[in-house]
């Protein structure tokens, strides 16, 4: 976690994204190219499990963050913006339930004899966690107070 914190501190302290904003499309292209190279052609030893370790994952996360910070959001439709905004509002809840969802999903997938620790299972855990949090947010507060 320390490398991510240091990278975030450097990005915010030196306001890097504001400085490279005029080269937005060039940097976006380089980020996508490097993301592709890291995923397909650079073979660094991967850690076991879903730990956020390893030099390749650190660089991939920095490149993905750069991509999203420089993405031209003005071309995105309002519906997509609402969905992304909803995901942002629910990030804390997604974080809280993702381990439980991951354990349940791992149990179900292993019962079927399929590999679990893949990128697709991460996406599925995120989407299911998001849907669970959206359902939980629909529960009225007075019902929750009555239960407790």
């Amino acid at each position: 976690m320390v490398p991510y914190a240091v990278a975030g501190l450097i990005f915010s302290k030196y306001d890097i994204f504001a400085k490279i904003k005029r080269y937005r499309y060039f940097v976006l292209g380089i980020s996508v190219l490097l993301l592709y190279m890291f995923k397909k052609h650079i073979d660094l030893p991967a850690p076991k499990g879903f730990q956020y370790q390893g030099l390749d994952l650190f660089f991939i996360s920095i490149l993905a963050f750069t991509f999203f910070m420089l993405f031209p959001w003005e071309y995105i439709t309002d519906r997509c913006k609402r969905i992304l905004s909803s995901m942002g509002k629910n990030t804390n809840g997604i974080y809280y339930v993702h381990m439980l969802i991951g354990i349940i999903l791992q149990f179900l997938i292993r019962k079927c004899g399929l590999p679990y620790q893949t990128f697709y299972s991460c996406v599925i855990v995120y989407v299911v966690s998001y849907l669970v949090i959206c359902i939980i947010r629909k529960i009225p507060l007075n019902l929750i107070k009555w239960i407790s």
Side-chain angles (χ1 to χ4, degrees):
M1 292 302 283
V2 172
Y4 298 106
V6 170
L9 183 66
I10 291 170
F11 283 142
S12 65
K13 182 175 181 175
Y14 297 108
D15 208 13
I16 290 174
F17 293 113
K19 292 177 182 174
I20 61 176
K21 198 89 165 178
R22 65 185 128 144
Y23 308 110
R24 171 189 283 186
Y25 295 106
F26 176 73
V27 174
L28 278 172
I30 295 295
S31 295
V32 169
L33 179 68
L34 288 173
L35 278 169
Y36 175 77
M37 286 175 50
F38 266 105
K39 287 307 283 175
K40 294 293 182 182
H41 299 292
I42 297 176
D43 190 27
L44 295 173
K48 294 193 180 283
F50 287 119
Q51 294 100 17
Y52 300 105
Q53 326 176 24
L55 195 56
D56 58 339
L57 289 178
F58 176 71
F59 285 123
I60 287 170
S61 65
I62 296 295
L63 291 170
F65 183 73
T66 301
F67 176 82
F68 286 109
M69 285 299 291
L70 295 176
F71 190 82
W73 295 105
E74 57 271 10
Y75 300 116
I76 301 297
T77 64
D78 287 335
R79 182 172 186 231
C80 288
K81 286 180 184 177
R82 281 195 311 271
I83 291 170
L84 291 172
S85 176
S86 172
M87 287 177 162
K89 289 178 194 171
N90 293 315
T91 300
N92 227 5
I94 292 168
Y95 173 74
Y96 292 138
V97 301
H98 85 280
M99 285 299 290
L100 176 64
I101 301 296
I103 291 168
I104 293 169
L105 185 68
Q106 180 179 10
F107 174 77
L108 294 173
I109 288 177
R110 287 196 175 156
K111 280 281 191 192
C112 298
L114 299 171
Y116 173 68
Q117 293 181 345
T118 65
F119 175 75
Y120 300 113
S121 59
C122 289
V123 172
I124 292 169
V125 166
Y126 182 85
V127 169
V128 171
S129 299
Y130 173 69
L131 294 173
V132 166
I133 291 303
C134 286
I135 292 169
I136 290 173
R137 286 180 67 117
K138 300 282 186 198
I139 299 172
L141 284 176
N142 58 359
L143 180 64
I144 294 172
K145 288 178 185 175
W146 178 76
I147 293 172
S148 60

